[in-house]
Amino acid sequence: MIPSILNNASIPDHFSVDLDNPALVNLDHLACYQVEGEDAGAFLQGQFSNDINQVTSTNGQISSYNTPKGRMLAIFYICRRDDIYYLLTSKDISEDVMKRLQMYVMRSKVTITPVPDMLLLGVCNDSQGKLLQSLKITATQDHYQTSANDISICMNIPGISTRYLIIGNQSLSEQLQNIDANNVNVFNASYWQWLDIMAGLPSVTSKVQEAFVPQMANMELIDGVSFSKGCYPGQEIVARLHYLGNANRRMYRVEVEQDEPVNIGDDIYTQGSDQAIGKIMSVINEHDKMYSGLAVLRIEAAKNNQLAIGSASGNSVRIAPLPYDVPTDLKEKEK
């Protein structure tokens, strides 16, 4: 049952972290699955780009699931309570992706189960920790660090302000009934997606599946790739890009002002050229005609910063800063 307070979730009047009250966000754009069984850890270790062995009861992670050619099928947030792993990914692709993952279980002692009754929430701008305390949740200090109790798991997510992703059961829903809606902003998923864009955290949805290898979406810059773990689908391609340094695209934050909607999957061009040099990966309509998004662009084109959307003569695309440094040369330094 969805708590009544979330029925009033809305798009913010303006997208900002400078709000009078903490924000509660309905993350209904995500789907949650649990993976358990004697071989669960080993199975996931052989499928994802990050080191699943580092996922504990106090530490989660972000990771990608790739094709054998290294192209991302999905991006997951992964956390753990006891011997159960919880995987969260974009709802629009979740069913097909998890069916694909299930195909590789074979004789392994692993069970993959959707948990649609789990409540997926974001808590943002809770600088005093009062909202978390009211939900009986312990805040964590480091990115991807987790805390858990009988009713929820909480993961610290990178952002331009502190925020938390929460997986909760029915008891958490009951806790939410006691929240004073006058002291909390209740937003829909668009606010969380805007925070992802501002933080430079990519998401894979249906329109950009198999479009990018992890480095093109800066996954290793946000601790989403391990270069010291064993094999997984696409590992050879991902490792080659890292050690040989021939990746020629990176993800940038972009801004577009225009009357027509900007959509995921829209192509970006160099002004005056008919060849697309990039693609919108995620986007939010901030206000009126202003759109903010993440786009994967050819590095050389991004350096020139003469970009247009939709066609060579389309509206201007402006590159905006990210909270981390994006390599601008074509040779990545070995880490």
Side-chain angles (χ1 to χ4, degrees), residues 68-310:
K69 293 183 178 180
R71 300 279 170 159
M72 292 192 296
L73 287 162
I75 291 175
F76 285 93
Y77 287 105
I78 305 171
C79 56
R80 179 179 176 182
R81 179 166 57 192
D82 300 325
D83 294 328
I84 300 176
Y85 294 86
Y86 291 88
L87 280 58
L88 285 80
T89 193
S90 298
K91 182 181 288 186
D92 72 322
I93 61 171
S94 61
E95 187 173 350
D96 288 342
V97 167
M98 298 310 290
K99 283 181 179 178
R100 182 184 179 114
L101 198 62
Q102 180 71 54
M103 290 171 52
Y104 295 97
V105 171
M106 293 183 283
R107 296 183 181 180
S108 298
K109 296 179 180 179
V110 176
T111 302
I112 301 174
T113 310
V115 280
D117 293 336
M118 283 292 190
L119 192 62
L120 305 181
L121 297 175
V123 169
C124 313
N125 312 321
D126 188 25
S127 59
Q128 303 300 316
K130 293 182 179 180
L131 181 53
L132 286 181
Q133 290 174 15
S134 67
L135 298 174
K136 299 182 179 180
I137 293 171
T138 301
T140 55
Q141 301 302 312
D142 298 328
H143 293 160
Y144 309 118
Q145 187 179 4
T146 63
S147 65
N149 55 33
D150 291 340
I151 67 173
S152 66
I153 305 171
C154 173
M155 184 189 298
N156 185 312
I157 301 297
I160 55 175
S161 64
T162 303
R163 59 177 176 151
Y164 300 93
L165 189 159
I166 298 164
I167 307 170
N169 59 22
Q170 184 59 39
S171 295
L172 180 63
S173 297
E174 295 170 3
Q175 290 287 336
L176 283 169
Q177 304 292 358
N178 300 321
I179 297 294
D180 184 354
N182 294 319
N183 296 322
V184 177
N185 294 300
V186 184
F187 295 140
N188 64 18
S190 64
Y191 185 64
W192 189 266
Q193 292 167 319
W194 177 78
L195 289 171
D196 278 346
I197 288 168
M198 300 302 289
L201 295 186
S203 61
V204 172
T205 52
S206 59
K207 292 184 179 179
V208 290
Q209 272 190 304
E210 299 188 50
F212 312 118
V213 298
Q215 286 100 322
M216 291 180 184
N218 300 346
M219 283 293 289
E220 87 283 21
L221 304 182
I222 55 172
D223 300 322
V225 180
S226 170
F227 295 105
S228 59
K229 63 171 287 185
C231 294
Y232 57 90
Q235 185 263 347
E236 182 179 353
I237 304 297
V238 174
R240 185 185 306 150
L241 286 174
H242 177 68
Y243 291 112
L244 299 183
N246 58 352
N248 59 7
R249 299 187 184 199
R250 280 290 183 176
M251 188 179 72
Y252 299 83
R253 185 163 73 88
V254 296
E255 296 175 339
V256 181
E257 187 172 0
Q258 65 177 28
D259 293 327
E260 301 79 14
V262 177
N263 299 305
I264 294 172
D266 282 356
D267 287 328
I268 296 176
Y269 295 78
T270 298
Q271 293 176 359
S273 172
D274 291 331
Q275 183 176 3
I277 51 79
K279 190 179 293 289
I280 296 288
M281 190 171 192
S282 57
V283 65
I284 285 292
N285 181 199
E286 276 196 30
H287 60 84
D288 298 331
K289 303 175 183 180
M290 179 59 68
Y291 294 82
S292 288
L294 295 173
V296 174
L297 308 171
R298 289 191 177 274
I299 292 173
E300 291 303 321
K303 286 180 180 180
N304 294 331
N305 203 12
Q306 299 291 320
L307 306 173
I309 191 163

